[in-house]
Amino acid sequence: MARLIELTLNGRPRADAVPDNLLLLDYVREVVGLTGTKTGCDGGECGACTVLVDDRPRLSCLSLAASVGGRRVDTIESLATDGRLSAVQRGFHEKLGSQCGYCTPGFIMASAGLLRRNPRPSDEEIRAALGSNICRCTGYVKIIEAVKYAAELHAAGAAP
Ligand code: FES
Ligand code: FES
């Protein structure tokens, strides 16, 4: 069975007929063609597939596309504006929060969701917000520094 979903994807309205069993991850990557969202474990363990649904992080490998009808979905492609990186993207870039980069879109989306809900998070709140994301390269210290720096940029007016 397929159904029509209407949603706002990266700020733009969209309508697609999707099979009932289509994963949100496969919808954004294969139907829409936005490949910034990564497939990692494909089982809810790594966070590489994180997108925002109404500003809340969602593991797209565990979500059905049919569940986001009427919702606002944001992927990593939504963050930069006219070629300018968002606060969180700048944070990861300038504070070296990314090495191989495979986990980075998921971390960035989880961090952007955090700053939208809580613009001045504590270190503990950052760690808790990123608890569903795994990185095999950085050791996490640089990631925490990146999010703290992003919060400063956001406080100074940059979009998260
Ligand atoms: S690919 Fe979704 S949690 Fe790993
Ligand atoms: S930067 Fe390589 S897994 Fe995180």
Side-chain angles (χ1 to χ4, degrees), residues 55-142:
D55 291 336
R56 297 245 158 219
R58 173 89 69 92
L59 297 178
S60 60
C61 75
L62 294 184
S63 302
L64 294 173
S67 72
V68 298
R71 305 294 193 90
R72 190 160 39 85
V73 178
D74 293 315
T75 70
I76 187 82
E77 287 87 352
S78 70
L79 296 187
T81 308
D82 297 329
R84 289 193 316 276
L85 298 180
S86 72
V88 178
Q89 288 174 312
R90 279 185 59 191
F92 275 73
H93 178 60
E94 294 177 28
K95 298 297 178 182
L96 307 179
S98 177
Q99 288 186 25
C100 82
Y102 200 83
C103 70
T104 307
F107 270 99
I108 286 178
M109 294 314 290
S111 302
L114 171 66
L115 295 189
R116 288 181 191 181
R117 303 187 308 276
N118 176 6
R120 300 306 298 245
S122 66
D123 286 18
E124 272 190 12
E125 289 169 328
I126 294 171
R127 286 180 209 282
L130 301 181
S132 297
N133 294 74
I134 291 174
C135 176
R136 294 297 188 201
C137 302
T138 63
Y140 300 101
V141 172
K142 293 292 186 186

